[in-house]
Amino acid sequence: MSTPSAQIGVTGLAVMGRNLARNLARHGHTVALNNRTQAKVDDLVEQFGDEGSFVASSSLEEFVASLEKPRRIIIMVKAGGPTDAVIDQLVPLLEAGDIVVDGGNAHFEDTRRREAALREHDLHFVGTGISGGEVGALEGPSIMPGGSKESYAALGPILESIAAQVDGEPCCAWLGPDGAGHFVKMVHNGIEYADMQFIAEAYDLLSGAGLTAGEVADAFREWNSGDLDSFLVEITAQVLDQVDAETGKPLVEVIRDEAEQKGTGRWTVQIALELGVPVSTIAEAVFARATSGDAAVRKASRGVLSGPDRTVSAEGSDARRRLVADVRAALWASKVVAYAQGLEQIRAASEAYDWGVDVATVARIWRGGCIIRAALLAQISDEYASKDLATLLVAPSVRDGLAERQDGWRRVVGTATSAGVPVPGFSAALSYYDTVRAERLPSALIQGLRDNFGAHTYHRTDRDGAFHTLWAEDGRQVSVD
């Protein structure tokens, strides 16, 4: 083989890998290509060879040999076993200092395991979250790499060149060692679950008030030009405007109301429980999807359980305008709570695993390219960059925004409950807001109950130490050392 000429390689040329390779080539990088089936390599070169410089290979050995040192290899295959299989095949072919990047949606613990294993071979393993879907992979995604600082010095400039750009800054930054990148991507996806749940609830409420799918689309389109400017709000208008060619009905009305999931939202909730961080908005979004797909329970309950008929009272143009404004307020406020919970989970994990993740940087690289990109993220990044915040909710601009919108937010939750329209996302967000702002919580009673049946002890408000009440005896309180 001739002298190695490729600066970076991509193995796994399904839609995401294919588009990422094209993006790299479009930005002037010579890209080595490999795939389990040769046809995908040949097809990419045949269709898009004029977009840049590609080096096709017919074997993994040839692929590795075509790369400049230190070799930079991006794996774009299915998470789990397939990723491990590719790594096992690659390691014997690599040399000290080479860099292996996993661009899939891997569980961060798998990334930590792989990083430690490859480190034993003096290889760098970089777990990298990539968000933006197939279009983002081609035109500029948000990229969330972990791994060693040393590896980022060699890899970072290439990734930054293909990432989305906002205000002249790449939506890509080194986030921390081992699993940091994939953890941040996991939480990103969890926030995405919550955001879509809020949007669905907004649509459901406005539909209950008699607005057509097209009219709801108009509302979302208007919102997208203001404080709710975001990718998901933008495409919501597109989806609601789409008409089914076969029936002539809005497409949304002929899609089955069963939301599926691939697991990253569930992981976010599971890990939050382990860390002891409340992510109630994300959890409710995950549970709402599970409920929507529980056909047996829904069939047994439909027409049997009594309740309001889901009609939202908004008679007259003024009432309708106020409802639309209130739903807008609830959507913005709930989105803020979801971001706050997700970013707190990232900070808690960073402390637990000693990653040193900068939350302001996370918000900054989410401003473009990714699915949850939104104008709000610039505000969030600025707030975290300028202040040591215990929670996003107390940042001055965010706090003021919540205060301005909370009356409408509360009316939405109350209206939905009275009409029998489920709003688990909006409700969870508002409950969290009210919980953290409360002077005193009923948790004191819970702790008293725990001490009563299990002698779990409690702490007093007026002195230090742990105490237990002799409930089954004379009710005396005793100090517990």
Side-chain angles (χ1 to χ4, degrees):
M1 174 169 278
S2 59
T3 303
S5 60
Q7 285 91 49
I8 193 164
V10 179
T11 180
L13 300 177
V15 175
M16 284 291 289
R18 176 191 184 101
N19 282 0
L20 197 67
R22 291 174 58 196
N23 189 355
L24 287 160
R26 287 177 172 188
H27 283 83
H29 307 292
T30 300
V31 185
L33 304 174
N34 175 260
N35 194 73
R36 184 172 55 86
T37 56
Q38 185 64 29
K40 286 188 180 294
V41 175
D42 297 339
D43 182 63
L44 192 158
V45 174
E46 181 180 350
Q47 288 195 59
F48 306 107
D50 60 349
E51 292 187 341
S53 179
F54 296 105
V55 179
S57 62
S58 57
S59 69
L60 206 57
E61 290 80 5
E62 187 179 340
F63 171 70
V64 171
S66 70
L67 289 160
E68 296 177 351
K69 298 178 183 178
R71 300 178 180 92
R72 306 169 186 86
I73 297 172
I74 302 177
I75 299 173
M76 296 296 293
V77 302
K78 188 176 180 180
T83 299
D84 282 324
V86 172
I87 292 170
D88 290 344
Q89 294 169 32
L90 275 173
V91 167
L93 306 176
L94 302 179
E95 300 175 13
D98 288 347
I99 302 165
V100 178
V101 180
D102 176 12
N105 270 333
H107 193 290
F108 83 101
E109 289 288 14
D110 284 341
T111 302
R112 299 187 75 214
R113 167 178 59 80
R114 290 164 182 152
E115 192 277 335
L118 266 66
R119 200 183 328 128
E120 294 295 316
H121 296 275
D122 292 325
L123 300 172
H124 299 282
F125 186 78
V126 180
T128 301
I130 301 175
S131 177
E134 58 185 89
V135 174
L138 180 63
E139 299 180 357
S142 174
I143 306 177
M144 298 156 253
S148 66
K149 277 189 176 181
E150 182 183 355
S151 66
Y152 194 76
L155 178 69
I158 295 177
L159 296 183
E160 290 178 11
S161 73
I162 67 166
Q165 307 287 317
V166 176
D167 296 333
E169 295 181 321
C171 292
C172 173
W174 179 73
L175 295 177
D178 59 70
H182 273 146
F183 191 95
V184 169
K185 175 57 163 59
M186 176 191 75
V187 175
H188 164 285
N189 286 19
I191 295 171
E192 180 184 309
Y193 273 55
D195 205 345
M196 286 192 283
Q197 178 63 29
F198 302 146
I199 286 170
E201 291 175 14
Y203 159 70
D204 203 16
L205 271 164
L206 295 177
S207 297
L211 276 72
T212 65
E215 288 172 330
V216 180
D218 289 341
F220 272 90
R221 195 172 293 108
E222 179 184 349
W223 297 347
N224 192 53
S225 65
D227 55 357
L228 285 171
D229 177 7
S230 66
F231 174 68
L232 284 172
V233 168
E234 175 188 346
I235 66 170
T236 296
Q238 295 175 9
V239 172
L240 290 174
D241 264 339
Q242 187 69 23
V243 175
D244 177 52
E246 186 175 334
T247 64
K249 296 179 179 179
L251 178 63
V252 71
E253 294 179 10
V254 298
I255 297 175
R256 285 190 182 182
D257 58 343
E258 301 169 3
E260 299 177 357
Q261 53 186 310
K262 290 188 175 180
T264 47
R266 184 168 61 249
W267 291 349
T268 305
V269 176
Q270 290 170 340
I271 303 304
L273 289 171
E274 294 176 9
L275 291 169
V277 178
V279 292
S280 51
T281 55
I282 298 170
E284 288 297 345
V286 173
F287 295 146
R289 291 196 189 191
T291 304
S292 76
D294 194 339
V297 169
R298 293 183 65 194
K299 181 179 180 181
S301 305
R302 197 177 295 119
V304 175
L305 300 181
S306 63
D309 65 2
R310 294 172 51 89
T311 298
V312 177
S313 178
E315 296 181 6
S317 58
D318 289 344
R320 180 177 285 199
R321 277 195 295 271
R322 191 179 83 162
L323 177 64
V324 170
D326 285 351
V327 172
R328 177 179 187 161
L331 183 55
W332 187 91
S334 297
K335 284 165 69 79
V336 166
V337 173
Y339 281 122
Q341 291 182 339
L343 292 170
E344 282 310 301
Q345 182 175 3
I346 290 171
R347 179 151 58 186
S350 179
E351 292 174 359
Y353 296 103
D354 196 25
W355 286 334
V357 177
D358 179 64
V359 175
T361 297
V362 172
R364 178 175 62 79
I365 66 174
W366 284 350
R367 290 178 303 161
C370 69
I371 303 302
I372 64 170
R373 61 185 182 267
L376 176 62
L377 282 160
Q379 178 183 347
I380 292 173
S381 181
D382 289 345
E383 288 286 15
Y384 273 105
S386 63
K387 302 172 188 67
D388 182 17
L389 299 173
T391 172
L392 173 64
L393 303 185
V394 301
S397 66
V398 172
R399 179 190 64 212
D400 292 346
L402 291 167
E404 292 169 6
R405 293 168 176 85
Q406 71 167 286
D407 287 347
W409 190 12
R410 294 182 189 284
R411 282 194 294 268
V412 161
V413 173
T415 296
T417 303
S418 296
V421 177
V423 285
F426 286 161
S427 297
L430 182 57
S431 291
Y432 179 80
Y433 175 82
D434 282 338
T435 296
V436 296
R437 74 180 187 86
E439 289 291 335
R440 184 165 172 79
L441 295 170
S443 309
L445 176 57
I446 294 172
Q447 201 60 17
L449 293 170
R450 294 181 72 244
D451 186 62
N452 185 301
F453 68 71
H456 293 294
T457 76
Y458 51 86
H459 293 86
R460 294 177 58 93
T461 59
D462 54 1
R463 71 190 80 158
D464 293 334
F467 298 89
H468 168 59
T469 293
L470 302 176
W471 302 97
E473 299 177 23
D474 58 4
R476 284 183 302 113
Q477 182 185 81
V478 295
S479 177
V480 179
D481 295 327

